[in-house]
Amino acid sequence: MTNATNKGRVAVLGAGTMGAGIAQVAAMSGYSVSLFDVSTAQLDKARAGAAQSLDRMVAKGKLDAAAKESALTAIETFTDVAKAVAAASVVVEAVPERMELKRELFTAVDRAAPESALLGTNTSSLSITEIASVVRDPSRVVGLHFFNPVPVMELLEVVKGVRTSEQSVDAALTFSKALGKTAIVVRDFPGFATSRLGVAIGAEAIRMLEQGVASAEDIDRAMELGYRHPMGPLKLTDLVGLDVRLAILEHLHREVGEQFRPPALLRQMVRAGKLGKKSGEGFYKWDAEGARKA
Ligand code: 3HC
């Protein structure tokens, strides 16, 4: 990834973990970035998170200090969505997984973004076709599903809704390449190719913990050492966010079937505010720098 040329403007809507990561990667790849959130505190947190990740890359020799500075400078923050998307060539929505919220946002984006802009959603399981239905020209809407941590994970899952045009899929593939990602193209079906398999393993691990099969550490170690997963399913749920995984499971339970019924323990933990890394506690305890506490 380089930031030598300016390729246009990417508007990222939602400055949570994913939005911050997408903004960072777009900025590192030479795009100007408009990062929108309703909360200025969240925008500050996203900027600090991007700076921390860029520092890590500088420390590892993957990026020079000047490239870090120009990536940070390329990210402008907004609390007004119309201003954020006004000059965008690509919009990536990454707000919480609630259909009504996404539909409201896409209605506003449709009014304010240039007609030529590609409209992407980072939803991990909701229907692209349904989100697109509020946009006058739904052929512009495509799923752009990124993975956490965005600066490290290579995959971009491009999701083709019922009315998504081939031109939009091509634009999504070009965008993926510009970000240094490898894309797969999947049909709009609940959970796509990734979330469906990911949450199935995660939910089963939580049920095993409920049933006292083994400790959280040993369930994770089983998959790390026995199956070479880079991170066990409970640790990964802490990284992704327990609330995010619960929302995906609830959706897949409704849309696909009984095998996705969310475990009671997951519901209880989310009610208790144990959301994983971002809240400091999930199946493990985490410090403010994202390192595991003993
Ligand atoms: N920014 C920049 N660099 C980072 C980083 C970040 N946020 N996080 C990790 N890195 C870099 C490290 O600096 C390190 O670089 P190096 O190879 O040059 O030393 C490298 O990534 C590996 O990191 P660590 O050595 O700290 O630790 P690990 O080897 O355990 O890797 C991990 C961390 C990359 C997170 C790895 O454990 C992993 O791949 N885990 C699985 C992640 C995964 O499955 N993500 C998908 C979740 S599902 C999802 O996001 C979909 C959504 O819709 C819910």
Side-chain angles (χ1 to χ4, degrees), residues 198-236:
V199 297
I201 296 174
E204 215 44 47
I206 298 168
R207 277 191 266 273
M208 285 163 63
L209 190 65
E210 279 177 333
Q211 291 161 355
V213 173
S215 66
E217 275 92 351
D218 281 349
I219 292 171
D220 278 343
R221 210 167 283 139
M223 297 312 281
E224 287 162 11
L225 303 184
Y227 283 73
R228 285 214 183 165
H229 286 197
M231 188 179 253
L234 299 170
K235 225 180 277 169
L236 183 58

Side-chain angles (χ1 to χ4, degrees), residues 30 54 56 97 108 267 275:
L54 289 163
R56 201 163 163 173
E97 292 288 83
R267 258 188 219 295
L275 306 182

Side-chain angles (χ1 to χ4, degrees), residues 261-281:
R261 177 182 289 281
L265 176 61
L266 179 63
R267 258 188 219 295
Q268 259 178 356
M269 290 177 74
V270 170
R271 284 187 185 134
K274 295 184 183 182
L275 306 182
K277 230 173 184 180
K278 63 187 168 189
S279 73
E281 187 176 352

Side-chain angles (χ1 to χ4, degrees), residues 23-44:
Q24 177 194 333
V25 170
M28 287 167 60
S29 307
Y31 289 94
S32 301
V33 177
S34 302
L35 179 60
F36 157 81
D37 201 282
V38 287
S39 154
T40 48
Q42 194 61 46
L43 287 167
D44 292 346

Side-chain angles (χ1 to χ4, degrees), residues 18 24 53 56-57 60 62 122 124 145-149 151-153 195 230-231 236 239-240 244-245 248:
M18 296 305 287
Q24 177 194 333
S53 169
R56 201 163 163 173
M57 293 178 146
K60 300 262 176 179
K62 292 177 190 164
N122 179 54
S124 41
H145 184 204
F146 289 84
F147 295 83
N148 185 7
V152 180
M153 303 308 284
S195 301
M231 188 179 253
L236 183 58
L239 175 74
V240 168
V244 173
R245 284 216 141 161
I248 298 172

